[in-house]
């Protein structure tokens, strides 16, 4: 095992990244926002709020949207036309009204689409329901199969492998990491995990545990271990709060993004920091990669308990645009 400490400057301080405006891309809003349902609704605040309530299939030109009573499947073209109609005429159809199928399954927390767009996973509590996209298009609302976590824990995160073998990992709310493939059973592979992610090509897995980031093979054998530093964010004492890695996004072979929050002594989640770990040369899994670590503090000021209830993460919703 090779341990790599976070990169610091010559004075021993963590490096804070610069925030620069970018005009390389232009995002154009099409029409006006389209309501999910015809009437106003709210999620059950007694259950964890959805952390991934939207999935998109470019292959089938579909969107999957969670709402208070289940989730809808709608064609992107129809939703865009409704957005334009709302802009031009002041009213239009909701996504539920446009939907190919509306699946009644309450308290959906995560919608996750497989890499080949063939299967949609919907987590509810400690269960993960797997739906065939082809069956959904044929208006069938029952899952193909369901897998359940052991004990009373719930699903915190679910990540499909970025290959077409339809394998995946599931992270529970109590830190257990499970691995599943196709319609096979879930296998408990690791404890004490805060966040997990597959590499770009699905050959490796990144796992955050306390203040370390481990890079594993697809068979969960450790290749590399990095020590994470948060001293510049919480100070030297660290008595009143600890830092937890909330999200991992492996965006390029040479770059991993971490989302972190501060956990206070009374259990509240506050503030949010993004760390960008980038290799100077080669892949980040190489032992000689010598990664730089840039920290961006207080990225989401709205992450306070009065706005976002604690335990609603993972919070980092990130897409990487490859030029």
């Amino acid at each position: 095992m090779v341990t790599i400490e976070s990169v610091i400057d010559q004075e021993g301080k963590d490096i804070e990244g610069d925030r620069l405006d970018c005009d390389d891309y232009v995002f154009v809003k099409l029409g006006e926002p389209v309501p999910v349902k015809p009437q106003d609704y709210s999620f059950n605040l007694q259950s964890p709020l959805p952390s991934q309530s939207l999935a998109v299939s470019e292959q089938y030109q579909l969107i999957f949207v969670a709402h208070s009573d289940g989730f809808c499947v709608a064609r992107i073209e129809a939703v865009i036309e409704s957005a334009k109609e709302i802009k031009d005429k002041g009213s239009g159809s909701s996504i539920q009204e446009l939907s190919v199928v509306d699946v009644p399954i309450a308290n959906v927390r995560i919608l996750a689409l497989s890499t080949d767009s063939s299967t949609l996973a919907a987590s509810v509590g400690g269960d993960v329901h797997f739906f065939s996209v082809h069956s959904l298009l044929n208006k069938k609302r029952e899952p193909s199969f369901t897998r359940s976590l052991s004990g009373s824990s719930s699903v915190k995160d679910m990540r499909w492998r970025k290959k077409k073998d339809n394998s995946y990992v599931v992270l529970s709310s109590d830190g257990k990491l499970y691995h599943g493939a196709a319609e096979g059973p879930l296998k408990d592979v690791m404890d004490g995990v805060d966040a997990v992610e597959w590499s770009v090509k699905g050959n490796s897995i990144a796992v955050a545990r306390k203040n370390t980031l481990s890079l594993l093979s697809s068979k969960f054998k450790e290749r590399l271990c990095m020590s994470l530093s948060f001293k510049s964010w919480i100070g030297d004492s660290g008595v009143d709060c600890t830092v937890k890695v909330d999200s991992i996004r492996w965006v390029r072979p040479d770059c991993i993004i971490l989302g972190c929050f501060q956990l206070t002594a009374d259990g509240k989640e506050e503030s949010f920091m993004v760390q960008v770990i980038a290799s100077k040369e080669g892949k980040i899994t190489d032992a000689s990669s010598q990664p730089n670590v840039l920290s961006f503090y207080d990225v989401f000021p709205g992450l306070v308990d009065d706005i976002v209830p604690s335990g609603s993460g993972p919070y980092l919703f990130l897409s990487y645009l490859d030029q």
Side-chain angles (χ1 to χ4, degrees):
M1 181 184 71
V2 178
T3 301
I4 302 177
E5 295 184 356
S6 296
V7 174
I8 56 178
D9 64 17
Q10 294 181 352
E11 297 179 357
K13 299 179 181 178
D14 296 337
I15 300 175
E16 182 175 0
D18 295 326
R19 305 187 190 190
L20 302 175
D21 294 330
C22 176
D23 57 5
D24 292 344
Y25 297 93
V26 176
F27 296 91
V28 179
K29 182 180 178 181
L30 298 175
E32 293 295 324
V34 179
V36 177
K37 299 175 73 173
Q39 298 85 25
D40 292 338
Y41 69 95
S42 60
F43 289 98
N44 181 8
L45 298 181
Q46 303 304 315
S47 301
L49 296 176
S51 61
Q52 298 175 36
S53 57
L54 175 69
V56 179
S57 170
E58 293 186 17
Q59 179 177 344
Y60 294 109
Q61 289 293 291
L62 298 171
I63 61 170
F64 308 83
V65 184
H67 55 73
S68 55
D69 304 311
F71 67 88
C72 299
V73 183
R75 300 190 185 280
I76 293 175
E77 183 179 2
V79 176
I80 291 175
E81 289 303 315
S82 182
K84 293 178 179 178
E85 185 179 359
I86 293 172
K87 181 179 181 179
D88 295 338
K89 300 179 181 179
S91 64
S93 300
S94 67
I95 293 176
Q96 189 178 52
E97 292 169 320
L98 296 169
S99 64
V100 177
V101 63
D102 186 13
V103 179
I105 176 172
N107 300 324
V108 172
R109 177 162 165 75
I110 293 172
L111 291 178
L113 188 66
S114 62
T115 299
D116 63 359
S117 289
S118 66
T119 306
L120 180 75
S123 77
V124 179
D127 299 324
V128 183
H129 305 283
F130 294 86
F131 296 84
S132 163
V133 172
H134 184 265
S135 296
L136 289 171
L137 289 174
N138 288 325
K139 303 184 184 299
K140 295 181 180 180
R141 305 191 295 178
E142 296 299 321
S144 301
F145 60 96
T146 298
R147 294 292 174 262
S148 300
L149 305 185
S150 60
S152 59
S153 62
S154 59
V155 175
K156 177 185 176 182
D157 200 5
M158 192 269 187
R159 310 297 296 175
W160 287 98
R161 188 180 185 186
K162 296 165 187 175
K163 284 182 177 289
K164 294 185 178 181
D165 64 350
N166 276 5
S167 62
Y168 57 90
V169 289
V170 176
L171 179 61
S172 72
S173 56
D174 60 0
K176 288 186 178 294
L177 185 64
Y178 299 84
H179 178 241
E183 297 186 21
L186 285 176
K187 298 179 181 179
D188 185 351
V189 295
M190 194 177 296
D191 294 328
V193 176
D194 295 322
V196 64
E197 170 69 309
W198 291 95
S199 64
V200 175
K201 294 185 177 180
N203 297 322
S204 303
I205 302 170
V207 171
R209 305 173 75 183
K210 295 185 178 180
N211 292 338
T212 62
L213 178 68
S214 298
L215 306 184
L216 317 175
S217 71
S218 59
K219 297 185 181 297
F220 299 93
K221 302 296 183 182
E222 188 171 73
R223 291 176 171 175
L224 206 63
C225 182
M226 301 182 187
S227 176
L228 303 174
S229 174
F230 305 116
K231 287 185 178 180
S232 294
W233 197 28
I234 62 174
D236 294 329
S237 63
V239 175
D240 296 328
C241 70
T242 57
V243 175
K244 293 199 69 173
V245 176
D246 165 75
S247 318
I248 306 173
R249 295 296 178 263
W250 201 326
V251 295
R252 296 189 328 208
D254 63 347
C255 184
I256 292 175
I257 311 293
L258 303 182
C260 314
F261 61 77
Q262 295 180 5
L263 184 66
T264 64
D266 56 358
K268 292 184 178 181
E269 299 169 358
E270 295 181 349
S271 193
F272 201 87
M273 175 181 67
V274 170
Q275 283 196 333
V276 179
I277 304 175
S279 171
K280 292 181 179 179
E281 295 182 2
K283 298 178 181 179
I284 202 166
T285 51
D286 297 339
S288 58
S289 60
Q290 295 183 328
N292 284 315
V293 181
L294 297 178
S295 299
F296 299 84
Y297 305 116
D298 302 323
V299 176
F300 305 126
L303 187 61
V304 294
D305 193 54
D306 292 340
I307 300 175
V308 181
S310 295
S312 299
Y315 300 111
L316 186 62
F317 187 76
L318 181 148
S319 293
Y320 176 73
L321 299 176
D322 191 7
Q323 287 184 306

